[in-house]
Amino acid sequence: MQEEQHPMTSAARRATITDVARAAGTGKTSISRYLNGETSVLSPELRERIEAAIAKLDYRPNQMARGLKRGRNRLVGMLLADLTNPYSVEVLQGVEAACHALGLMPLICHAANEVDMERRYLQLLTTYRVEGVIVNALGVKEELLQTFSLGGIPVVLVDRSVEGFVTDMVGLDNPKAVALATRHLVDEGFDDVVFIVQPFKRVSSRRAREAAFRDTIGALGATGSTIVLDLADAAPALAAIDAHLRDAGANLQRVALFAANAPVALRVALHLKERYGVDWQQRVALMSIDDSEWAELAGMTTVRQPTYDIGRRAVEFLHERLERGLERGPEGARMPARECLLPGELVVRSSTRRKLSPGT
Amino acid sequence: MQEEQHPMTSAARRATITDVARAAGTGKTSISRYLNGETSVLSPELRERIEAAIAKLDYRPNQMARGLKRGRNRLVGMLLADLTNPYSVEVLQGVEAACHALGLMPLICHAANEVDMERRYLQLLTTYRVEGVIVNALGVKEELLQTFSLGGIPVVLVDRSVEGFVTDMVGLDNPKAVALATRHLVDEGFDDVVFIVQPFKRVSSRRAREAAFRDTIGALGATGSTIVLDLADAAPALAAIDAHLRDAGANLQRVALFAANAPVALRVALHLKERYGVDWQQRVALMSIDDSEWAELAGMTTVRQPTYDIGRRAVEFLHERLERGLERGPEGARMPARECLLPGELVVRSSTRRKLSPGT
DNA sequence: TTGTATGCGTTATCAC
DNA sequence: GTGATAACGCATACAA
């Protein structure tokens, strides 16, 4: 009844290590050794038989069983707050590449901006016994993460820290990046800068960027203010922006808008276009952190984050901790929390180049 | 030596079902029963003890072990060719939501446009014994997918079919969508439409869209041509576009550019901006399939794909096959391949609204 | 150099 | 109602 057109066992279940052993006329141990690269302790002849059997049966070791036995399944959890944000996708690319290089498999969880999803996914990751987690979340709290740490599962934070919780974290060097951008604006002759940021919530980077903005503006002796824009209800903030623009125009001030990230920048740009028409760029200068794909098209100045490297570093941090945990006992993985702050790169485009001589 | 500050077993390994059984003063079987909702056959008293023990130990069943025993681990593979393409992210959202609702866990694999990665990831999915796969790939061939089908693992294709391989597939209704868009252009008075598409390669949807374009243009008696643009080497195609635009201008023809998807549209838009300046939209009309986030900002007409539903349907297809496979024997999952073609929605923006009276 | 036996955490089969 | 016990597929200590 078995049709053997293809080299594998028809439409039945996959071959197991036992099947291979039988086909190769040997024991499971030798197969296991072959799989784990203990190639030196195998007679060339047996080795060939094993290779043949594996090929014939199209055998693939079952990672689940393997993980169960070894205690580690090479799975690492990657929790992303919002894949809609190009930042996340880019970080992800770095994470994937690094994981691949290290033989790890990222289990990607996309919370789609739902705080409740974050919690559920984190719990789920726990049931799959991931060896570590990389977290870029919106509302995760310390206690949730403690579960991992206490269980000996390393946690690496991306882009934001979590209050009351110390671990490795990697992200943009916000102070430097914001200072760079702000200084650029002032240098270009803008004497009134409006920083636009989402409600801080639990997101430390938002707060950090805003603080850096105020510091820099103060140090430069320029005029600056902050407007908080909630993407779920942007009207009030947009009205505030309009008002500010109107007043500044009356005072002959040159104002620049500085968005704290790409989603905010897009929302603001859409509003400006709607309000001032297609040539809104002639009327108001907009820049942002995050160099999204449309920035070039819109000719908008940005600060490009080293997203790929951020992802890569996050995995490296994780990997180092995993290694440590292996060498010493499970309790010996103690190691001070590290922080990796990568520099942003200013990408100057037409939106912030001086167009009008001051006072005109 | 054990510090019991937190309710769980210090920094050691996670609690197992045996631990819970011991803590509850019962056998593993009862715990298992409790976990699997066989709640009716448990005395209320025992039930409470179990609940308490689980809470106290912060016990989480190990999915790996569970999968090993049951033969199914609720994992489904999701292979994505390019997360950089917003289309993919949107489809993913649908997939995730549907999976979550059905108790499935998507294992997301991002091939980053590397055909070789696709192959590797597909093999990897096999080792994790996913119960099914949803594939949106660039270069996977029939043989690779056969491995899954023959192994009794359902495959659902998204957006594109694979030559010589029959399975469920879900995507945009390309003929209708392209016809809708093309007719719109002609209605708006464009008498020369250029369709721009990436090299067909193994991507069936590209071919389908181009064919639909030619059919529609022919049926409408309008002038149309196709330019193939390779994102990795766009110069020739862009030059061809320039030439076409020049010639058409000389002949007083109104030409519209129709990009087959968002990445192409972006590349073309960038070129046009570079060539014609910030008011390039005044000179040439551009539309595209895929309603990317910058389309609104650029005022570009698009065909919006029902991405979320595409993802959802894909999971539903998969789920139905999984159920079938359970009821009847593993061989009884036979079921004709289905195709779900969802309609696109025309989003008209300023880019294609008549600006010049013909012949001016 | 090779094979046997045991256990990883869970579910399923069968007794009680 | 409840609880031993045998698998699931694999790795490993140990024996041969």
Side-chain angles (χ1 to χ4, degrees):
Chain A
M1 290 304 279
Q2 308 250 16
E3 27 178 346
E4 283 280 343
Q5 297 188 350
H6 285 77
M8 47 171 303
T9 140
S10 101
R13 82 192 194 304
R14 290 208 72 93
T16 79
I17 202 173
T18 314
D19 299 329
V20 179
R22 191 155 1 101
T26 178
K28 316 196 288 184
T29 312
S30 299
I31 313 296
S32 178
R33 289 206 176 103
Y34 174 85
L35 293 175
N36 293 325
E38 298 178 41
T39 171
S40 54
V41 280
L42 287 177
S43 72
E45 190 260 348
L46 213 203
R47 222 174 106 177
E48 270 187 27
R49 272 172 26 224
I50 294 181
E51 258 161 11
I54 288 183
K56 175 164 166 245
L57 298 176
D58 188 35
Y59 169 70
R60 300 261 206 283
N62 183 330
Q63 288 291 10
M64 299 301 160
R66 199 185 269 231
L68 188 57
K69 184 63 188 148
R70 293 194 138 140
R72 18 174 262 169
N73 53 19
R74 310 277 70 190
L75 247 31
V76 308
M78 169 87 214
L79 180 61
L80 258 0
D82 180 20
L83 268 178
T84 267
N85 187 339
Y87 169 84
S88 303
V89 175
E90 292 169 19
V91 168
L92 185 57
Q93 316 230 70
V95 168
E96 286 168 329
C99 280
H100 224 83
L102 294 170
L104 297 171
M105 179 74 174
L107 200 48
I108 300 163
C109 303
H110 177 204
N113 282 324
E114 306 238 14
V115 175
D116 195 55
M117 276 283 174
E118 295 179 350
R119 210 172 36 72
R120 290 178 62 180
Y121 266 129
L122 243 19
Q123 306 220 122
L124 203 55
L125 286 177
T126 248
T127 75
Y128 278 101
R129 295 297 186 272
V130 292
E131 296 184 36
V133 281
I134 300 177
V135 175
N136 169 252
L138 208 54
V140 180
K141 284 183 293 193
E142 175 257 341
E143 331 139 25
L144 245 178
L145 264 15
Q146 285 292 5
T147 312
F148 288 89
S149 286
L150 260 34
I153 297 177
V155 178
V156 175
L157 264 22
V158 164
D159 182 65
R160 46 199 73 169
S161 53
V162 171
E163 197 180 358
F165 185 69
V166 291
T167 18
D168 295 344
M169 117 90 162
V170 27
L172 177 69
D173 186 335
N174 286 304
K176 284 231 183 70
V178 171
L180 186 68
T182 309
R183 208 170 297 127
H184 163 76
L185 291 174
V186 172
D187 284 351
E188 289 293 324
F190 295 97
D191 46 19
D192 182 7
V193 182
V194 180
F195 191 78
I196 310 171
V197 59
Q198 289 169 273
F200 297 149
K201 298 269 185 64
R202 300 194 173 284
V203 183
S204 68
S205 52
R206 293 179 189 161
R207 195 180 301 275
R209 289 176 191 174
E210 201 272 338
F213 169 72
R214 279 189 292 126
D215 285 356
T216 310
I217 276 290
L220 293 175
T223 304
S225 54
T226 296
I227 291 181
V228 173
L229 182 152
D230 186 347
L231 287 175
D233 175 26
L238 295 175
I241 292 175
D242 288 342
H244 192 102
L245 253 25
R246 192 176 346 99
D247 295 350
N251 297 337
L252 297 178
Q253 281 183 295
R254 298 191 59 215
V255 24
L257 267 27
F258 184 0
N261 65 11
V264 168
L266 181 62
R267 190 64 193 81
V268 171
L270 284 173
H271 173 73
L272 294 175
K273 186 205 165 199
E274 188 181 323
R275 182 161 175 87
Y276 295 103
V278 289
D279 58 343
W280 59 276
Q281 301 242 52
Q282 307 301 318
R283 312 283 291 272
V284 37
L286 176 64
M287 82 162 294
S288 94
I289 289 186
D290 285 343
D291 191 49
S292 48
E293 57 174 16
W294 55 270
E296 175 69 29
L297 187 61
M300 179 180 68
T301 296
T302 64
V303 174
R304 177 184 297 149
Q305 295 200 54
T307 45
Y308 189 89
D309 287 333
I310 290 175
R312 205 165 43 74
R313 290 296 291 147
V315 174
E316 286 170 3
F317 273 175
L318 207 56
H319 187 243
E320 286 168 23
R321 286 200 124 83
L322 292 178
E323 294 295 283
R324 286 289 193 297
L326 233 60
E327 294 168 13
R328 323 173 184 187
E331 187 64 87
R334 290 284 161 267
M335 199 169 142
R338 293 159 298 175
E339 195 180 49
C340 176
L341 266 21
L342 269 18
E345 176 195 357
L346 186 67
V347 181
V348 178
R349 298 203 181 87
S350 58
S351 78
T352 59
R353 292 211 193 92
R354 35 176 107 233
K355 304 151 200 168
L356 317 159
S357 46
T360 302
Chain B
M1 290 304 281
Q2 307 248 16
E3 27 178 348
E4 284 279 344
Q5 297 188 350
H6 284 77
M8 45 170 308
T9 140
S10 102
R13 78 191 196 307
R14 289 208 73 93
T16 77
I17 202 174
T18 314
D19 300 328
V20 180
R22 190 154 4 101
T26 177
K28 317 197 287 185
T29 312
S30 298
I31 313 297
S32 178
R33 288 206 177 103
Y34 174 84
L35 293 175
N36 294 321
E38 299 178 37
T39 174
S40 52
V41 273
L42 287 177
S43 72
E45 190 260 347
L46 214 203
R47 221 174 107 177
E48 270 187 27
R49 272 170 27 222
I50 294 181
E51 258 161 11
I54 287 183
K56 173 163 166 248
L57 296 177
D58 188 33
Y59 168 72
R60 301 262 205 282
N62 183 332
Q63 288 290 9
M64 299 302 163
R66 202 185 268 231
L68 186 58
K69 185 61 187 152
R70 300 189 127 142
R72 20 175 260 167
N73 53 19
R74 310 277 69 191
L75 246 31
V76 308
M78 168 88 215
L79 180 61
L80 258 0
D82 180 19
L83 267 178
T84 268
N85 187 339
Y87 170 83
S88 302
V89 175
E90 291 169 20
V91 169
L92 184 57
Q93 314 230 76
V95 168
E96 287 168 327
C99 279
H100 223 83
L102 294 171
L104 297 171
M105 178 73 172
L107 198 48
I108 300 162
C109 302
H110 176 203
N113 281 325
E114 307 237 14
V115 175
D116 195 54
M117 276 283 175
E118 294 179 350
R119 210 172 36 71
R120 291 177 62 179
Y121 266 129
L122 243 21
Q123 307 221 123
L124 203 55
L125 287 177
T126 251
T127 75
Y128 278 101
R129 295 297 187 273
V130 292
E131 295 184 36
V133 282
I134 300 176
V135 176
N136 170 251
L138 208 54
V140 276
K141 285 182 294 194
E142 175 257 344
E143 331 138 26
L144 245 179
L145 263 17
Q146 285 292 5
T147 311
F148 287 90
S149 287
L150 259 34
I153 298 177
V155 178
V156 175
L157 263 23
V158 165
D159 182 64
R160 45 198 75 167
S161 53
V162 171
E163 197 181 357
F165 185 71
V166 291
T167 19
D168 294 345
M169 117 90 160
V170 25
L172 178 68
D173 185 336
N174 286 304
K176 283 232 185 67
V178 171
L180 186 67
T182 308
R183 208 170 298 127
H184 163 75
L185 291 174
V186 172
D187 284 350
E188 289 294 323
F190 294 99
D191 46 20
D192 181 8
V193 182
V194 180
F195 191 76
I196 310 172
V197 59
Q198 288 170 275
F200 297 150
K201 298 269 185 62
R202 300 193 172 284
V203 184
S204 68
S205 53
R206 293 178 190 163
R207 195 180 301 276
R209 288 175 192 176
E210 201 272 340
F213 169 71
R214 278 189 292 127
D215 285 356
T216 310
I217 276 290
L220 293 176
T223 304
S225 54
T226 296
I227 291 181
V228 173
L229 183 152
D230 186 348
L231 286 175
D233 175 25
L238 296 175
I241 293 174
D242 288 341
H244 193 102
L245 252 26
R246 191 174 350 98
D247 296 350
N251 297 338
L252 296 180
Q253 282 183 296
R254 297 192 59 214
V255 25
L257 268 27
F258 183 1
N261 67 10
V264 167
L266 181 62
R267 190 67 193 79
V268 171
L270 284 172
H271 173 73
L272 294 175
K273 186 204 164 201
E274 188 181 323
R275 183 162 174 86
Y276 297 102
V278 290
D279 58 343
W280 60 275
Q281 302 242 51
Q282 308 300 319
R283 311 283 290 274
V284 37
L286 177 65
M287 84 161 295
S288 94
I289 291 184
D290 284 343
D291 191 50
S292 49
E293 59 174 13
W294 56 269
E296 175 70 29
L297 187 61
M300 179 179 68
T301 295
T302 64
V303 175
R304 177 184 296 149
Q305 296 199 52
T307 46
Y308 189 90
D309 287 332
I310 290 175
R312 206 166 42 74
R313 289 297 290 149
V315 174
E316 286 170 3
F317 273 176
L318 207 57
H319 187 244
E320 287 168 22
R321 286 201 122 84
L322 292 178
E323 294 296 282
R324 287 291 193 295
L326 231 61
E327 294 169 13
R328 323 173 183 187
E331 188 64 87
R334 292 282 162 269
M335 199 170 145
R338 294 158 298 175
E339 194 179 46
C340 175
L341 266 21
L342 269 18
E345 175 196 356
L346 185 67
V347 182
V348 179
R349 299 202 180 87
S350 58
S351 77
T352 58
R353 290 209 193 93
R354 37 177 107 233
K355 304 151 201 171
L356 317 159
S357 46
T360 304

